[in-house]
């Protein structure tokens, strides 16, 4: 494998926890991680929308990742964070997560895509959530002994 | 390096500017003074040439060819080979239109056929070259002042009068187009998103400032010495600069309103040609600045109004001459700022609007009813032209007259928070006046709280805020179909709980309304706050937890994910950093089905003004399909019980409820219906007015129905059935609670009979009641109680009977809503009328199906001794006893 191919293959992931699982998004999609957790709920909003939050004058739409993955509504604790995405991912939005973890580096070739990993991530809590959010999960990769589920934030906006 | 796409975009922006300039010049050429003509032709040439050149570089050949043809003609004019005729200008305008459509659909420009336009252009020059007799107005044409001989006298005259008008006319493009070019040089093109983000940042800065000011205040309060004068000064400066930045950023979004006026002169010209009228177009105030979004919404309404003025407003030259006016009609468009609003007027000096004709047409078109029309002022009649479906034109032309347009104008202006008005004087002209806000980006709003969240109600929708306290709440709020209404200055105002709207994703279910009502009636709130908002011509109230105050908010559009949420138009960040959603009054109204409630309330209002009664009935089912009903006013509450919790001792079934033993009356059993043997959940209806502890058992409680038609007076199989009728395709039975109770336990009512029998001389009752059903039921009941009853059908008949001195009645029972003379009028006569002096102390009881405390108060105030709800037997009996006992006293004393 050539150097440039290696470079292209290498990715950094921003990991976070939600419910019982460890998840990640591509770090290049992330605009910032914010400690603000005062989310204003929006009545009649589509399922999975937690509400709106004011981040320095800009209003972000926040998804409840726990709800979408079938864990139920995420509670808010001191460790809770907002992961906000860049404009190129979609218009001002982010997700509420239980805690953020490390930045991990991995090779895309190591990613086990969903089809093969279906058994691993199939959600026993709510099988409907699984089909509803088809495509939200890009795949699973292994770090030491932990499995990290890689998410595709762009899919959130397609609800 | 630019890529091709970027270059094309650049080209388009530039070409559009030139296109607008060309149109303006072409239209100006027709009317300008000859000495200005050459200058204008030069400018025209330059503009066309620029487009041609730029199109060449981006290889848009089709555009190149067309502009080349235009340029050729123009150069001929410049060389003096061709004169400026209206044919030439029309041909050039035609070519410009083709050019415009190519620019608008740049991807498909190759497919647009330019040949006819080019042919028309060349035809102009070839045709004219042979026709030398036509007077020439070319570049070489000497100025008429220096050499009047070459120009026809008519032309000289024209140029003279035109010159004086030049100050106000945009056609005289020299000054304005030069001004425009200057501004083009001094400005740069900035994409809108850049301005929007600048706007967001400015908003952010405002928040930072607010926090800074708060913290300084805080420190000043706690420890004065801790704050240096420097700190305070800095805070003040920050405050000032921030406000200025916000203002400046807002200004960047402002554009001269003239942009929306651009298409109008051309429209006037085309219409004048088409309609054979002579129309002068005048404009003023086109430099007035208005927000970009508003500007975009103004263009179509303006076109409609100008089209309307040209078509309907102005008459043909002959007609005008006859009326003693100049043959040339004038359409003038003006704009000016008035506070936070822009006022735009479209004025014509035509025929004016004839209210009589409008009224007649409105009736013909089905816009309003003749009786409605009769009560309208001329001004109101004029406003009818904005109604959907209205058209005065007797024939439909392709210009206007289809009856769409004016209502579209109104709705699109109202959509941006503006209003339209019309002033007209028959024979003198018509003025349409539109008021629109300066900007949509910042709106003044009422901030309200509902639960933990704040919401903003835009001031444009808001009429007033009402806050009721203590007994006001209970006295003034009425329930219609379980939906609360408030009587605001005589008008029924439907109320909607914001909490209910937000809490239910689709529409508000009936169960929620019922729950709300029950809660309201069992725990009357100490205070009730609602914002009265306008919805077209109607208003309704949005009940909130608290009205916090007004604030100038910066509107942020909804996130695309939320675009389907119809209750909110956008979001804003409040001064303290919290987020507030901006309510869409229309959306809220739709969600709460307010429109249908206006109709219901309308019918409810009719029942007050007209003698027609509505009874609220609780509908429930027994084991079968049939609906059964009890009057709602007689019910205290409904509980659900399980059949196995009913104890049965010696055929008497009771249930223990909060320590009380309640006798259970199985309605099905008494009506001879199959008795449900299966155990399970049933409903027990507890009556309000029966003194015994009794509950009526039914299978399931359905809903509350408004019954307008009283049941037919046929005889029924069972004494407990008051009547039957068909409701929603099902048979409904109106049941008599008291009869059912008597079926269950005849002994309860024995004392009643005894008292009845004891009376040696039966008391005479006059019953005034217009509804047959009630006459029958109440009459029968009174007879049962041992009274002698005489029944009349309205208040007038009752009054006539009582006018006789020896009428012999002991008591009057009167309905309130009746034809001819209602209960209020009747008692008024008895208590104060000169013919009824002998009736001053006649005991009188009002009986109504309305449980409104206001009606009750009014009835008592006018002189009724008592107020009873209909179909409440026990209470009626006791009240009658009481009344007659009193009167006995009274007569004894006398």
């Amino acid at each position: 494998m050539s150097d440039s191919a290696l470079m292209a293959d290498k990715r950094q992931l921003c990991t976070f926890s939600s419910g019982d699982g460890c998840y990640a998004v591509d770090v290049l999609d992330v605009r910032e991680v914010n400690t603000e957790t005062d989310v204003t709920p929006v009545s009649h909003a589509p399922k999975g929308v937690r509400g709106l939050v004011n981040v320095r004058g800009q209003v972000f739409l926040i998804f409840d990742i726990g709800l979408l993955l079938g864990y139920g509504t995420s509670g808010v604790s001191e460790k809770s964070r907002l992961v906000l995405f860049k404009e190129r991912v979609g218009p001002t939005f982010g997700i509420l997560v239980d805690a953020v973890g490390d930045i991990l580096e991995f090779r895309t070739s190591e990613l086990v895509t969903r089809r093969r990993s279906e058994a691993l991530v199939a959600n026993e809590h709510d099988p409907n959530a699984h089909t509803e959010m088809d495509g939200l999960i890009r795949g699973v990769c292994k770090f030491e002994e932990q499995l990290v589920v890689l998410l595709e934030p762009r899919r959130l906006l397609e609800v | 390096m630019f890529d091709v796409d970027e270059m094309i975009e650049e080209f388009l922006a530039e070409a559009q500017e030139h296109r607008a300039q060309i149109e303006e010049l072409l239209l100006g050429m027709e009317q300008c003074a000859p000495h200005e003509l050459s200058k204008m032709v030069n400018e025209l040439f330059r503009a066309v040439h620029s487009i041609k050149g730029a199109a060449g570089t981006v290889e848009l050949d089709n555009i190149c060819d067309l502009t080349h043809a235009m340029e050729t003609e123009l150069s001929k004019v410049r060389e003096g080979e061709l004169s400026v005729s209206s044919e030439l200008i029309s041909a050039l305008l035609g070519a410009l239109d083709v050019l415009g459509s190519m620019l608008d659909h740049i991807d498909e420009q190759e497919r647009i056929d330019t040949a006819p336009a080019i042919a028309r252009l060349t035809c102009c020059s070839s045709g004219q070259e042979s026709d030398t007799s036509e007077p020439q107005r070319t570049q070489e044409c000497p100025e008429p002042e220096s050499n009047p001989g070459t120009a026809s006298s008519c032309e000289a005259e024209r140029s003279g009068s035109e010159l004086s008008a030049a100050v106000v006319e945009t056609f005289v493009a020299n000054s304005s187009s030069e001004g425009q070019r200057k501004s083009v040089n001094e400005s740069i093109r900035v994409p809108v998103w850049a301005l929007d983000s600048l706007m967001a940042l400015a908003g952010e800065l405002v928040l930072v400032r607010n926090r800074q000011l708060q913290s300084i205040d805080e420190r000043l309060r706690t420890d004065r010495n801790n704050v240096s004068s420097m700190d305070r000064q800095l805070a003040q400066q920050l405050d000032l600069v921030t406000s200025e930045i916000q203002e400046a950023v807002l200004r960047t979004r402002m554009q001269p309103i003239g942009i929306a006026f651009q298409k109008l002169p051309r429209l006037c010209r085309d219409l004048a040609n088409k309609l054979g009228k002579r129309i002068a177009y005048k404009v003023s105030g086109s430099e007035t600045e208005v927000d970009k979004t508003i500007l975009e919404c103004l263009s179509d309404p303006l076109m409609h109004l100008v089209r309307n003025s040209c078509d309907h407003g102005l008459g043909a030259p002959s007609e005008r001459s006859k009326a003693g006016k100049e043959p040339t009609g004038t359409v003038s468009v003006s704009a000016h700022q008035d506070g936070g609003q822009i006022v735009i007027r479209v004025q014509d000096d035509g025929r004016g609007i004839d209210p009589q004709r409008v009224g007649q047409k409105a009736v013909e078109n089905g816009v309003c009813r003749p009786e409605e029309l009769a009560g309208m002022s001329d001004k109101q009649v004029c406003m009818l032209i904005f109604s959907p479906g209205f058209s005065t034109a007797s024939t439909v032309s392709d210009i206007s007259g289809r009856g769409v347009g004016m209502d579209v104008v109104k709705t699109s202006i109202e959509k941006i928070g503006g209003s339209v008005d019309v002033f007209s004087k028959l024979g003198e002209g018509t003025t349409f006046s539109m008021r629109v806000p300066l900007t949509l980006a910042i709106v003044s709003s009422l901030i309200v709280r509902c639960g933990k969240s704040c919401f903003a109600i835009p001031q444009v929708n808001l009429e007033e805020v009402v806050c009721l306290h203590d007994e006001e709440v209970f006295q003034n709020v009425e329930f219609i179909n379980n939906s609360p209404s408030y009587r605001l200055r005589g008008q029924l105002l439907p109320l909607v709980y914001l909490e209910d709207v937000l809490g239910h994703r689709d529409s508000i279910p009936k169960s929620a309304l019922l729950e709300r009502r029950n809660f309201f009636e069992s725990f009357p709130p100490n205070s009730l706050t609602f914002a009265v908002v306008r919805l077209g011509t109607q208003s309704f109230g949005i009940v909130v937890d608290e009205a916090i105050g007004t604030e100038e908010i910066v509107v942020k559009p909804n996130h695309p994910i939320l675009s389907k949420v119809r209750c909110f138009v956008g979001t804003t960040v409040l001064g303290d950093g919290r987020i507030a959603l901006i309510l869409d009054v229309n959306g809220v109204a739709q969600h709460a089905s307010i429109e249908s409630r206006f109709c219901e309330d309308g019918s409810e209002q009719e029942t007050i003004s007209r003698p027609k009664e509505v009874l609220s009935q609780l509908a429930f089912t027994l084991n079968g399909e049939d609906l059964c009903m009890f009057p709602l006013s007689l019910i205290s509450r409904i509980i659900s019980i399980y059949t196995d919790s009913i104890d049965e001792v010696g055929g008497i079934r009771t249930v223990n409820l909060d320590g009380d033993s309640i006798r259970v009356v199985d309605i099905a059993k008494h009506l001879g219906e199959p008795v449900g043997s299966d155990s399970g959940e049933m409903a027990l209806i507890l009556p309000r007015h029966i003194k015994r502890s009794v509950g009526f058992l039914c299978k399931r409680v359905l809903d509350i129905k408004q019954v307008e038609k009283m049941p037919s007076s046929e005889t029924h199989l069972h004494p407990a059935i008051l009547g039957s009728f068909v409701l929603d395709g099902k048979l409904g039975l109106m049941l008599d609670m008291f009869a059912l109770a008597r079926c269950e336990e005849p002994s309860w009512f024995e004392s009643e009979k005894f008292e009845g029998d004891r009376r040696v001389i039966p008391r005479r009752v006059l019953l005034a009641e217009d509804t047959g059903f009630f006459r029958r039921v109440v009459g029968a009941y009174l007879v049962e109680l041992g009274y002698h009853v005489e029944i009349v059908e309205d208040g007038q008949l009752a009054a006539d009977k009582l006018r006789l001195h020896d009428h012999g009645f002991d008591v009057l029972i009167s309905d309130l809503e009746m034809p001819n003379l209602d209960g209020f009028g009747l008692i008024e006569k008895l208590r104060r009328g000169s013919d009824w002096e002998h009736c001053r102390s006649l005991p009188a009881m009002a009986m109504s199906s309305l449980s409104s405390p206001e009606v009750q108060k009014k009835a008592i105030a006018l002189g009724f001794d008592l107020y009873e709800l209909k179909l409440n037997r026990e209470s009626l009996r006791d009240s009658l006893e009481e009344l007659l006992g009193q009167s006995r006293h009274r007569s004894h004393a006398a």
Side-chain angles (χ1 to χ4, degrees):
Chain A
M1 212 183 275
S2 68
D3 272 5
S4 64
L6 263 179
M7 287 285 283
D9 186 38
K10 244 181 207 168
R11 284 288 171 81
Q12 285 189 320
L13 297 182
C14 168
T15 65
F16 58 85
S17 65
S18 176
D20 305 328
C22 185
Y23 298 89
V25 288
D26 194 328
V27 85
L28 291 178
D29 287 342
V30 176
R31 174 190 146 127
E32 66 179 272
V33 172
N34 196 290
T35 56
E36 177 72 64
T37 48
D38 186 12
V39 181
T40 307
V42 180
S43 308
H44 312 160
K47 193 194 160 206
V49 172
R50 175 92 175 195
L52 298 169
V53 74
N54 167 26
V55 177
R56 299 185 304 278
Q58 245 185 312
V59 177
F60 282 79
L61 184 82
I62 302 300
F63 286 95
D64 190 326
I65 201 75
L67 199 65
L68 288 172
L69 292 169
Y71 289 108
T73 303
S74 315
V76 172
S77 72
E78 282 198 352
K79 282 187 176 167
S80 295
R81 294 288 182 274
L82 295 181
V83 177
L84 304 178
F85 299 107
K86 286 182 182 162
E87 200 67 23
R88 64 182 176 91
V89 181
T92 56
F93 78 112
I95 51 178
L96 178 72
V97 302
D98 291 347
V100 284
D102 295 332
I103 301 288
L104 299 177
E105 204 162 273
F106 89 115
R107 288 170 199 280
T108 44
S109 54
E110 288 167 13
L111 186 73
V112 184
T113 54
R114 244 202 84 226
R115 213 160 282 286
R116 279 168 60 198
S117 65
E118 211 141 22
L120 286 173
V121 297
N123 202 313
E124 68 270 29
H125 299 275
D126 182 1
N128 288 334
H130 192 231
T131 47
E132 215 171 84
M133 290 316 296
D134 223 19
L136 176 62
I137 295 169
R138 267 168 72 181
V140 179
C141 43
K142 210 172 127 184
F143 289 96
E144 283 145 25
E145 279 318 300
Q146 197 179 12
L147 287 176
V148 175
V149 181
L150 183 60
L151 300 179
E152 175 51 81
R154 286 165 186 83
R155 285 286 176 157
L156 289 169
L157 296 172
E158 292 166 15
V159 211
Chain B
M1 243 328 259
F2 283 125
D3 61 12
V4 178
D5 279 353
E6 246 173 275
M7 275 168 71
I8 286 186
E9 209 144 282
E10 197 71 6
F11 160 75
L12 276 179
E14 228 179 89
Q16 291 286 17
E17 251 165 50
H18 286 306
R19 173 187 161 195
Q21 193 193 355
I22 293 169
E23 182 164 338
E24 201 175 297
L25 285 167
L26 282 173
L27 291 166
M29 270 165 69
E30 263 188 323
Q31 315 206 1
C32 76
H35 68 278
E36 284 168 334
L37 200 63
S38 64
K39 211 168 157 190
M40 289 176 71
V41 172
N42 276 330
E43 270 186 54
L44 205 53
F45 187 83
R46 271 200 303 272
V48 174
H49 186 78
S50 318
I51 297 182
K52 184 183 131 185
T57 44
V58 289
E59 292 171 346
L60 296 167
D61 295 337
N62 219 3
I63 295 182
C64 229
D65 292 347
L66 182 69
T67 42
H68 179 75
M70 291 168 77
E71 201 185 68
T72 314
E73 295 311 300
L74 286 167
S75 71
K76 280 184 194 156
V77 175
R78 206 153 66 153
E79 302 306 321
E81 290 166 25
L82 194 64
S83 70
V84 178
S85 63
S86 75
E87 289 83 52
L88 175 66
I89 287 179
S90 292
L92 283 167
L93 283 171
L96 189 67
D97 285 342
V98 178
L99 174 66
S101 59
M102 285 198 280
L103 293 176
D104 291 339
H105 309 281
I106 196 75
D107 296 331
E108 293 163 19
Q109 56 94 14
E110 289 295 340
R111 274 195 271 148
I112 293 173
D113 188 13
T114 55
I118 295 175
R120 194 168 158 207
L121 278 170
T122 43
C123 164
C124 257
S125 55
S126 56
Q128 207 180 346
E129 268 155 37
S130 58
D131 180 15
T132 43
S133 63
E134 198 176 306
Q136 304 257 307
R137 276 177 79 190
T138 64
Q139 187 200 1
E140 274 80 33
C141 169
E143 291 181 11
E145 285 88 346
S146 58
N147 197 348
T150 51
S152 73
S153 59
C154 149
E155 256 183 347
E157 215 180 272
R158 217 178 119 193
S159 65
S161 66
E162 226 70 273
L163 259 176
S164 60
V167 194
V168 282
E169 293 199 13
T170 40
F171 292 158
V172 185
N174 268 335
S175 55
S176 68
S177 68
E178 246 162 41
Q180 211 176 46
R181 192 133 28 83
K182 201 172 140 213
S183 69
V184 167
N185 290 341
E186 278 180 7
S187 64
I188 44 166
R189 226 171 268 129
V190 180
V192 175
W193 64 260
L195 292 182
D196 287 345
S197 70
L198 202 57
M199 182 90 163
L201 286 169
E204 215 166 291
L205 190 61
V206 171
L207 294 184
V208 173
R209 174 205 57 188
N210 289 353
R211 284 187 188 169
Q212 167 82 13
L213 291 180
Q214 269 171 14
S215 104
I216 291 264
D217 277 355
E218 193 72 23
R219 277 158 62 198
L220 272 174
R221 263 203 302 280
T222 47
D223 184 7
R224 194 161 263 282
N225 302 331
N226 203 7
V227 186
S228 69
S229 64
M230 188 66 171
D231 281 348
R232 258 179 289 169
Q233 252 178 26
L234 282 176
Q236 265 171 15
Q237 274 175 17
L238 179 71
D239 188 13
L240 206 72
V241 173
T242 310
S243 306
E244 275 176 21
I245 281 189
Q246 199 181 15
E247 230 169 85
V249 171
L250 267 182
R251 265 205 307 274
T252 59
R253 292 177 55 91
M254 305 292 252
Q255 283 182 305
I257 201 163
I259 294 172
F261 293 168
Q262 260 169 7
K263 288 184 190 154
L264 302 180
R266 172 77 186 275
L267 182 72
C268 280
R269 181 187 187 273
D270 289 354
L271 285 175
N273 282 344
K274 210 174 214 166
L275 299 165
K277 294 179 182 175
R278 282 155 83 176
I279 302 171
Y281 169 83
K282 288 185 183 177
V283 66
S284 67
S286 55
E287 69 289 343
T288 314
E289 290 196 320
V290 63
D291 191 276
K292 194 174 139 32
T293 32
I294 303 252
L295 196 65
E296 282 159 6
C297 299
L298 278 176
S299 182
D300 285 343
L302 272 170
M303 298 268 281
H304 271 304
L305 288 179
V306 168
R307 198 177 291 142
N308 180 72
S309 289
C310 294
D311 192 12
H312 299 303
L314 297 177
S318 56
E319 184 192 329
R320 290 181 62 87
S321 304
K322 241 183 259 167
K325 291 188 208 174
E326 288 274 309
T328 305
T330 311
V331 171
S332 39
V333 177
S334 71
H336 68 269
Q337 188 177 341
D338 180 14
Q341 289 181 313
I342 298 277
V343 181
I344 303 150
R345 287 209 182 96
V346 176
Q347 199 168 2
D348 66 62
D349 59 353
R351 309 165 183 144
I353 299 175
D354 182 352
Q356 258 189 323
R357 203 162 145 253
V358 169
Q360 190 191 332
K361 281 284 169 184
V363 172
E364 275 170 36
N365 293 339
V367 170
C368 77
R369 288 198 298 260
E371 56 267 31
E372 283 177 315
L373 193 67
M376 286 187 185
S377 65
D378 280 1
K379 167 93 188 170
Q380 279 171 317
V381 174
C382 281
M383 291 304 278
L384 284 177
I385 60 169
F386 293 110
S387 316
F390 180 84
S391 172
T392 49
S394 25
T395 52
V396 172
S397 68
D398 60 338
I399 297 153
S400 48
R402 286 182 195 282
V404 291
M406 291 315 252
D407 67 310
V408 175
V409 169
K410 186 161 180 264
T411 43
S412 44
I413 292 297
E414 280 174 356
K415 213 195 271 170
I416 52 172
S419 60
V420 194
D421 209 351
V422 56
F423 308 93
S424 181
K425 209 158 184 198
L426 198 55
E428 284 180 28
T430 308
T431 305
F432 288 97
S433 160
M434 298 187 276
R435 279 181 168 268
V436 293
L438 265 182
T439 172
L440 287 181
I442 289 193
V443 294
S444 181
S445 295
L446 175 75
I447 310 296
V448 297
R449 184 180 60 80
C450 176
K452 283 180 193 160
S453 306
C454 286
F455 298 90
I457 301 174
Q459 201 95 57
V460 286
N461 301 123
L462 192 68
E463 277 181 345
E464 61 186 298
V465 181
V466 178
C467 189
L468 304 176
H469 289 287
D470 304 322
E471 69 269 24
E472 283 173 347
V473 177
F474 203 65
Q475 283 167 3
N476 296 316
V477 177
E478 302 163 26
F479 284 85
I480 297 167
N481 262 357
N482 288 332
S483 304
S485 290
Y486 173 74
R487 201 166 279 281
L488 180 70
R489 292 185 284 278
Q491 285 285 317
L492 264 190
L493 184 80
L495 298 181
V496 177
Y497 277 81
L498 186 54
E499 196 187 333
D500 288 346
V501 171
L502 300 176
H504 302 280
R505 187 170 284 270
D506 300 313
S507 54
I508 305 173
K510 288 192 167 157
S511 59
L513 290 174
L514 183 64
E515 204 178 308
R516 168 73 63 194
R517 178 187 185 161
N518 287 339
F519 188 81
F520 185 91
E521 285 177 345
S522 350
F523 308 97
N526 291 333
S527 70
L528 188 74
T529 305
F530 55 89
V532 183
V533 293
R534 209 177 6 245
L535 183 74
T537 54
Q538 309 271 29
S539 301
F540 70 101
I542 301 178
V543 182
V544 298
D545 292 346
E546 187 188 355
I548 295 173
T550 53
E551 200 169 311
E552 300 274 313
I553 58 167
V554 180
V555 178
K556 290 169 190 291
N558 266 341
H559 194 279
I561 286 279
L562 303 178
S563 59
K564 287 208 184 85
V565 182
R566 56 184 179 180
C567 287
F568 309 119
V569 279
T571 342
T572 190
V573 179
L574 298 178
D576 58 4
R578 276 187 298 171
I579 285 183
L581 289 155
I582 303 164
L583 289 181
D584 180 354
V585 169
N586 284 315
V588 171
Q590 271 177 29
H591 199 90
S593 324
I594 283 288
E595 290 290 348
S596 65
R597 282 181 56 191
F598 281 133
C599 305
E600 281 167 24
D601 293 359
S603 68
E604 172 65 21
Q605 272 173 322
E606 270 178 20
T607 66
I608 289 169
S609 59
R610 294 179 195 183
K612 183 172 152 198
E613 298 194 40
V614 176
L615 264 187
S616 291
Q617 301 269 349
L618 181 82
F620 53 89
T621 55
L622 304 174
N623 294 303
E625 279 291 290
D626 291 352
L627 285 178
C628 291
M629 293 188 191
F630 278 151
L632 192 65
S633 53
L634 300 186
I635 292 164
S636 121
R637 61 188 173 129
I638 300 158
I639 53 170
S640 66
I641 58 163
Y642 287 91
T643 39
D644 48 18
S645 65
I646 301 177
D647 307 314
E648 187 162 347
V649 181
I652 292 170
R653 309 215 294 168
T654 56
V655 66
N656 214 328
L657 207 71
D658 307 329
D660 283 332
S661 171
I662 309 249
R663 181 79 173 264
V664 175
V665 179
D666 190 339
I667 305 173
K669 194 179 95 190
H670 291 301
L671 292 184
E673 295 231 353
V675 180
S677 55
D678 51 331
S679 64
E681 202 175 338
M682 308 257 309
L684 195 66
I685 303 168
L686 301 179
R688 181 175 286 180
H689 295 289
I690 294 188
K691 285 176 205 120
R692 319 276 167 176
S693 293
V694 61
F696 297 91
L697 191 69
C698 68
K699 182 77 188 157
R700 201 158 57 91
V701 171
L702 296 176
D703 196 1
I704 288 163
K705 305 263 184 210
Q706 303 296 318
V707 179
E708 278 179 32
K709 265 203 231 131
M710 292 308 144
S712 51
S713 55
E714 64 203 78
T715 45
H716 287 281
L717 296 171
H718 197 276
I721 300 176
L722 291 173
S724 63
F725 44 85
V726 177
L727 195 77
D728 305 336
K730 281 186 185 165
L731 182 72
L733 296 175
M734 202 182 275
L735 300 183
D736 185 340
M737 244 182 212
F738 302 95
L740 281 171
R742 183 157 46 189
C743 289
E744 177 75 21
E745 191 55 74
S747 64
W748 285 345
F749 295 88
E750 248 151 38
S751 59
E752 197 176 277
K753 256 200 188 129
F754 175 63
E755 277 174 50
D757 291 342
R758 197 186 51 183
R759 281 190 198 107
V760 187
I761 315 159
R763 296 290 191 133
R764 283 168 60 90
V765 178
L766 180 64
L767 175 65
E769 168 66 67
D770 60 311
T771 315
F773 168 69
F774 288 119
R775 277 205 299 271
R776 188 161 54 80
V777 173
V778 180
Y781 182 55
L782 289 171
V783 170
E784 219 171 86
L785 286 177
Y787 291 98
H788 183 93
V789 190
E790 194 154 329
I791 304 173
V792 289
E793 282 166 26
D794 65 36
Q796 191 54 54
L797 293 172
D800 291 345
K801 275 211 181 300
L802 292 172
R803 200 196 305 251
L804 305 169
H805 277 265
D806 52 350
H807 57 67
F809 291 106
D810 297 301
V811 63
L812 166 75
I813 301 177
S814 172
D815 186 15
L816 289 178
E817 296 86 31
M818 287 181 290
N820 303 328
L821 182 68
D822 64 8
F824 300 116
L826 175 61
I827 197 70
E828 186 93 61
K829 278 198 161 74
L830 297 190
R831 298 295 185 240
R832 278 167 280 277
S834 56
D835 283 350
W836 289 272
E837 268 174 48
H838 56 287
C839 292
R840 291 289 188 262
S841 62
L842 178 76
M845 179 193 291
M847 206 163 61
S848 168
S849 49
L850 294 176
S851 62
S852 135
E854 272 158 62
V855 174
Q856 182 168 358
K857 229 186 236 172
K858 187 178 169 195
I860 299 294
L862 284 174
F864 279 109
D865 299 299
L866 273 172
Y867 182 94
E868 275 301 325
L869 283 176
K870 278 181 182 169
L871 296 185
N872 188 352
R873 283 170 83 134
E874 288 215 331
S875 176
L876 176 64
R877 186 194 70 197
D878 295 349
S879 302
L880 268 180
E881 292 278 334
E882 192 192 324
L883 263 185
L884 291 169
Q886 273 176 11
S887 81
R888 209 174 295 148
H889 263 300
R890 240 182 278 175
S891 51
H892 276 301

